[in-house]
Amino acid sequence: MDRVLPEAAHAPINAAIDFVYSYGPAAEKTVVLVPAFVTAYVESLAEATGFDSETINYTLGLFACYPLGIIMNMLPYGKIKHAFSFLLGAFLLQFTIGKQWVHQMITSLICYAMFVLLPPKLSKTIVPIFLMTYVTLGHLHRMYINYLGYDLDFTGPQMVITIKLYAMAYNLYDGHLISQGKEDRAAKKCAPWAIAKVPGIIEYLGYTFSFATILAGPAYEYKTYANACDGSLLYNSDGKPKGKIPSQIWPTLRAFLVSVIAMGLFVVGTGKFPLLDPSDPQNATPVVLTAEFLARPWIQRYLYQWVALFFIRQKYYFAWKNAEGANNIWYAGFEGFDEKGNVKGWEAASNVRIVDFETAPNVKTLSAMWNMKTANWLSRYVYIRTGGSLTATYGLSAFWHGFYPGYYMFFLSVPILTFCERVGRKKLTPRFATSGSKWSPWGIVTMLSTSFVVEYMVAAFQLLSYDWAVANWKSHLFFGHILCFVFYGALSNLPTPKKKEV
């Protein structure tokens, strides 16, 4: 950061950080839920395994959600479930990030006060601004004190809470509009998640700190959580089941097994195909930018990068599938029944469809299958609220992720590919598509071309640094961007096929 910021800026920034840090001792006193013997055990386990205690804490925290989920499922419906969800979520935060958990507590209480005191029309604007400002300051602080570092801090859970409460602000606004009988296109589309009134404080904190979502998401809607806690997901008001209640064992076990496999693939795969230098990922030249690596033939380098990025994705699959299973245990991942009493499915807590993502024939599908609850948030509360602005949607997504240049280089490149897909769908698909299947010859072409270009662009997201990202794109002769511009220019001049030609 020294080369980015002028020297005069460091003094006030350091003074502001020192001021916040001065409250550290007070925050430390709030860490009361984690027994000393648990901390001592984790430290000894970290020493024995060679992993750092942060990694051990986070991994154990994710797996702890399974026994906690079993208990949650056994508890009676009502406030006791909400209280359990809150207290155990707070425990997991204290266990994984220590005193930094106060950031989530502060954020939640301030937002709750705004929900109670402000009219929905005002809170749906002020709450998102407050949340984005808070998470922005967290990202900037992390970059300032540990540029390109990967230390576990409060920003991860803060990102989850940002989505939850940002969405809740609009849920309350939509509920207000619907209760007033006012016509609003966005509110009508999001009516299934609208909230008629501000939840009680216990219910609110139970959702905000939910143990099954606080560490890795998914940040699903408040109604999804509330319906699982009050029993309305499974039972009618007369206490009778809405349908034949399915067993949660296989949906839980399936997600758990996938998460374990993904964890193994990540550990083994990134060890054999590292993108960054394993000895010093923060400072050393990334593996894919070393002189020795760049001396290899281009196709070999690109295939290596493709494989390396595939294995990096496994850490996300591990965390999200692990959380999916932990939610399915107590039916928070169950979608409920249709009007005829048939089971809808188990997608309420699903955050990724791995096969669909890996074989996506276009960016739209790719985005919809990856970090699905975040995609829902961006679609429901950014995209449709800004008149379908891709710039606003990708821009806010980049802000939410942080401020490393690589994020913006990737997110600002995606619309270029999106524009290419739109013109390709209009000019080429009618000529070459023989069926609607993505496994048709044309479907396979779109699948491979999407993966080919996206893997080039997304490297910037993982490399983070502007210099590293540009160097990586340069090593591939900027082919992804050049192909997009040539493709768009050429197809823009191609006649659109008439219906009789299809």
Side-chain angles (χ1 to χ4, degrees), residues 295-356:
R296 299 180 185 179
W298 175 79
I299 188 63
Q300 188 180 118
R301 288 187 285 113
Y302 189 73
L303 289 175
Y304 177 99
Q305 180 172 302
W306 191 97
V307 173
L309 290 168
F310 170 79
F311 284 123
I312 287 174
R313 288 195 291 276
Q314 302 307 311
K315 68 179 178 182
Y316 300 102
Y317 297 158
F318 158 65
W320 290 337
K321 283 298 178 181
N322 184 283
E324 179 183 334
N327 279 280
N328 288 347
I329 293 178
W330 54 285
Y331 287 91
F334 181 54
E335 295 177 87
F337 305 94
D338 61 20
E339 296 80 3
K340 296 181 179 179
N342 298 316
V343 171
K344 289 183 180 179
W346 290 85
E347 292 291 314
S350 176
N351 214 22
V352 64
R353 294 180 186 172
I354 298 175
V355 174
D356 290 336

Side-chain angles (χ1 to χ4, degrees), residues 423 427-428 431 485-497:
V423 72
K427 303 291 184 72
L428 296 182
R431 288 183 166 92
F485 286 120
V486 171
F487 180 88
Y488 187 83
L491 263 66
S492 295
N493 294 305
L494 188 69
T496 301

Side-chain angles (χ1 to χ4, degrees), residues 28 31 34 54 57-58 90-104 151-158 214-215:
E28 195 71 56
V31 184
V34 183
E54 288 181 346
N57 279 345
Y58 187 74
F91 163 79
L92 288 177
L93 282 177
Q94 293 185 10
F95 178 66
T96 54
I97 60 175
K99 63 185 178 184
Q100 294 186 59
W101 87 284
V102 297
H103 290 286
Q104 281 72 52
D151 293 341
L152 185 67
D153 70 351
F154 79 94
T155 53
Q158 191 68 28
I214 193 63
L215 295 182

Side-chain angles (χ1 to χ4, degrees), residues 33-64:
L33 298 176
V34 183
F37 75 88
V38 173
T39 303
Y41 173 76
V42 171
E43 289 177 353
S44 64
L45 185 62
E47 196 173 315
T49 59
F51 290 101
D52 60 271
S53 57
E54 288 181 346
T55 301
I56 295 292
N57 279 345
Y58 187 74
T59 305
L60 289 177
L62 288 174
F63 283 118

Side-chain angles (χ1 to χ4, degrees), residues 93 103-105 107-108 131 156-166 208-209 214 219:
L93 282 177
H103 290 286
Q104 281 72 52
M105 195 70 209
T107 303
S108 299
L131 290 166
Q158 191 68 28
M159 292 166 73
V160 175
I161 278 185
T162 295
I163 295 179
K164 287 183 176 183
L165 300 185
Y166 190 119
T208 307
F209 283 81
I214 193 63

Side-chain angles (χ1 to χ4, degrees), residues 200-454:
I201 186 65
I202 299 301
E203 290 83 354
Y204 171 83
L205 291 176
Y207 168 65
T208 307
F209 283 81
S210 177
F211 67 90
T213 62
I214 193 63
L215 295 182
Y220 45 64
E221 304 279 0
Y222 172 76
K223 272 202 167 180
T224 300
Y225 164 82
N227 291 344
C229 287
D230 64 16
S232 61
L233 177 70
L234 303 176
Y235 300 95
N236 292 309
S237 56
D238 59 5
K240 294 182 179 179
K242 293 182 176 180
K244 184 179 179 182
I245 299 175
S247 169
Q248 79 278 48
I249 294 177
W250 176 239
T252 298
L253 187 60
R254 179 182 57 204
F256 175 78
L257 291 175
V258 171
S259 76
V260 171
I261 292 171
M263 181 174 66
L265 287 173
F266 172 73
V267 172
V268 175
T270 55
K272 291 185 177 295
F273 297 91
L275 194 71
L276 303 175
D277 188 328
S279 63
D280 187 5
Q282 188 173 1
N283 301 298
T285 301
V287 171
V288 293
L289 295 178
T290 59
E292 180 183 357
F293 184 84
L294 294 176
R296 299 180 185 179
W298 175 79
I299 188 63
Q300 188 180 118
R301 288 187 285 113
Y302 189 73
L303 289 175
Y304 177 99
Q305 180 172 302
W306 191 97
V307 173
L309 290 168
F310 170 79
F311 284 123
I312 287 174
R313 288 195 291 276
Q314 302 307 311
K315 68 179 178 182
Y316 300 102
Y317 297 158
F318 158 65
W320 290 337
K321 283 298 178 181
N322 184 283
E324 179 183 334
N327 279 280
N328 288 347
I329 293 178
W330 54 285
Y331 287 91
F334 181 54
E335 295 177 87
F337 305 94
D338 61 20
E339 296 80 3
K340 296 181 179 179
N342 298 316
V343 171
K344 289 183 180 179
W346 290 85
E347 292 291 314
S350 176
N351 214 22
V352 64
R353 294 180 186 172
I354 298 175
V355 174
D356 290 336
F357 175 82
E358 294 292 345
T359 60
N362 51 63
V363 171
K364 182 180 180 181
T365 303
L366 197 81
S367 300
M369 298 298 106
W370 172 268
N371 205 352
M372 292 160 62
K373 299 304 177 279
T374 300
N376 287 345
W377 165 59
L378 291 170
S379 173
R380 295 168 186 168
Y381 308 112
V382 182
Y383 184 76
I384 67 173
R385 312 286 172 156
T386 58
S389 172
L390 285 175
T391 302
T393 304
Y394 285 119
L396 189 74
S397 179
F399 262 63
W400 177 76
H401 280 90
F403 294 92
Y404 283 111
Y407 295 153
Y408 294 85
M409 295 169 71
F410 170 66
F411 283 117
L412 292 176
S413 296
V414 172
I416 300 172
L417 187 54
T418 302
F419 294 143
C420 289
E421 287 183 352
R422 288 176 177 175
V423 72
R425 193 177 299 117
K426 183 179 180 182
K427 303 291 184 72
L428 296 182
T429 299
R431 288 183 166 92
F432 297 104
T434 55
S435 71
S437 172
K438 70 178 181 181
W439 297 107
S440 66
W442 177 245
I444 293 173
V445 169
T446 59
M447 190 189 309
L448 293 176
S449 59
T450 297
S451 178
F452 184 64
V453 179
V454 169

